[in-house]
Amino acid sequence: MRFIQFDERIEEARILTANNVHCILLTLCGDELVAIKSGFRSGYSGEGPRAFAKVLHMLQAYGVDIEESSVSKALLDRIDDSALTKRDIVLIQSCEVVRPMRWFDYIYDAGYGDAKSEDAWALYRPVMPWAIVDSRIVDLATEFFNDPDRSILNAFRRLEDIIRLRLNTDASSTRLFAMAFQGEESHLTWPGLDSGEQKGRGQLFAAVYMAYRNPRAHKEVDSDRSAELAEFLLLNQLYLLERAAVTRLPLKTDSESS
């Protein structure tokens, strides 16, 4: 799950079977090999077969090429002892693959036969994609899973403060975003975009605040961690858009405007 979650590409999974005991040898992108020890079982009802079926289901959903070979118990013992040798690798690679494929049976026998590909992704916990988090809300992202509501609300408030400072205004919410991004005389714009794209990006700020910030500010929101993370990342996208926007007109203060 960690390899898949963090985009370490798994090219092949070779099931190594001795009776009803299984290890898995993963081939990662770049021909790196990772051996998973024999916590997997098949042929009876229990946690070992269920875990095995779950892993195979995830690998299948991820598009990994799955094959199986029959090996000796001694080879599995060496994997469990972290003592796999280069000779063992050569032996594994020269083993015939099992035909007809029976690893589908391991999935069905453990009760995963009706599982859909999208069900595999529900097994993963939500994680923060740090590579795309705007630097101005990293502190809120760091504390996100401790208190999502607080992080989200503070991120909404902080974005308004940032835009108010750029525009030198006391406006807020939809009026602030209209001044900043909407119309041909908006203070901020995105270079190289046509009018439709400019309008769409500008309206996105007001829409997100109306759809997410306002309900969260006025009542307790019932949502799970995945939905909360999706909301935080949607808000993060507004930060990235604001960072990319440039000044269109000389800025005026509220008093000058009036």
Side-chain angles (χ1 to χ4, degrees):
M1 291 180 74
R2 289 181 180 178
F3 284 134
I4 294 174
Q5 181 82 70
F6 297 105
D7 201 28
E8 186 73 58
R9 184 68 194 177
I10 302 173
E11 300 290 348
E12 180 186 79
R14 178 72 68 95
I15 303 167
L16 305 177
T17 299
N19 297 320
N20 291 326
V21 179
H22 311 276
C23 294
I24 300 178
L25 185 66
L26 302 177
T27 302
L28 307 184
C29 184
D31 295 328
E32 180 182 359
L33 298 177
V34 176
I36 303 175
K37 299 181 179 183
S38 64
F40 304 123
R41 300 291 190 274
S42 63
Y44 66 95
S45 177
E47 185 57 34
R50 283 194 294 269
F52 190 32
K54 181 173 71 173
V55 168
L56 294 177
H57 177 53
M58 287 189 293
L59 292 171
Q60 181 185 25
Y62 193 57
V64 176
D65 183 18
I66 303 174
E67 296 288 3
E68 181 180 11
S69 295
S70 295
V71 298
S72 67
K73 182 180 181 302
L75 190 145
L76 296 193
D77 289 341
R78 288 196 292 277
I79 293 177
D80 289 342
D81 291 338
S82 300
L84 204 62
T85 66
K86 291 183 178 180
R87 176 181 285 184
D88 290 327
I89 297 298
V90 172
L91 175 64
I92 292 169
Q93 293 173 340
S94 65
C95 285
E96 292 186 3
V97 296
V98 174
R99 290 292 186 271
M101 291 182 177
R102 62 189 181 193
W103 61 267
F104 293 102
D105 295 332
Y106 302 144
I107 296 177
Y108 278 84
D109 291 346
Y112 276 81
D114 295 328
K116 299 180 176 65
S117 294
E118 56 266 28
D119 296 334
W121 309 120
L123 298 171
Y124 291 82
R125 64 182 180 87
V127 297
M128 187 66 65
W130 293 105
I132 65 171
V133 175
D134 189 278
S135 60
R136 296 168 292 180
I137 54 172
V138 165
D139 61 320
L140 301 179
T142 301
E143 294 298 321
F144 175 82
F145 290 107
N146 293 328
D147 191 346
D149 186 69
R150 179 175 177 274
S151 292
I152 291 171
L153 281 174
N154 283 344
F156 274 118
R157 297 185 186 110
R158 188 175 298 179
L159 182 58
E160 287 190 81
D161 287 341
I162 290 170
I163 297 175
R164 272 194 288 264
L165 183 61
R166 289 190 70 173
L167 272 58
N168 190 24
T169 180
D170 293 327
S172 61
S173 192
T174 54
R175 179 169 177 264
L176 174 65
F177 301 134
M179 292 172 58
F181 303 113
Q182 296 177 16
E184 295 182 357
E185 297 184 356
S186 64
H187 288 293
L188 303 175
T189 187
W190 293 277
L193 300 185
D194 63 34
S195 59
E197 292 174 291
Q198 297 278 357
K199 182 178 179 181
R201 288 190 177 191
Q203 291 177 340
L204 186 60
F205 285 79
V208 170
Y209 269 69
M210 291 172 62
Y212 294 99
R213 186 267 181 191
N214 290 350
R216 187 173 290 278
H218 299 298
K219 62 182 180 181
E220 187 174 351
V221 177
D222 183 17
S223 58
D224 59 28
R225 283 292 183 267
S226 294
E228 290 166 336
L229 179 59
E231 183 177 340
F232 185 82
L233 294 179
L234 179 60
L235 181 52
N236 178 73
Q237 181 63 22
L238 298 186
Y239 275 83
L240 298 179
L241 290 175
E242 182 279 328
R243 183 186 289 276
V246 299
T247 302
R248 186 203 297 268
L249 298 172
L251 301 183
K252 297 180 181 180
T253 64
D254 284 349
S255 60
E256 290 173 335
S257 299
S258 58

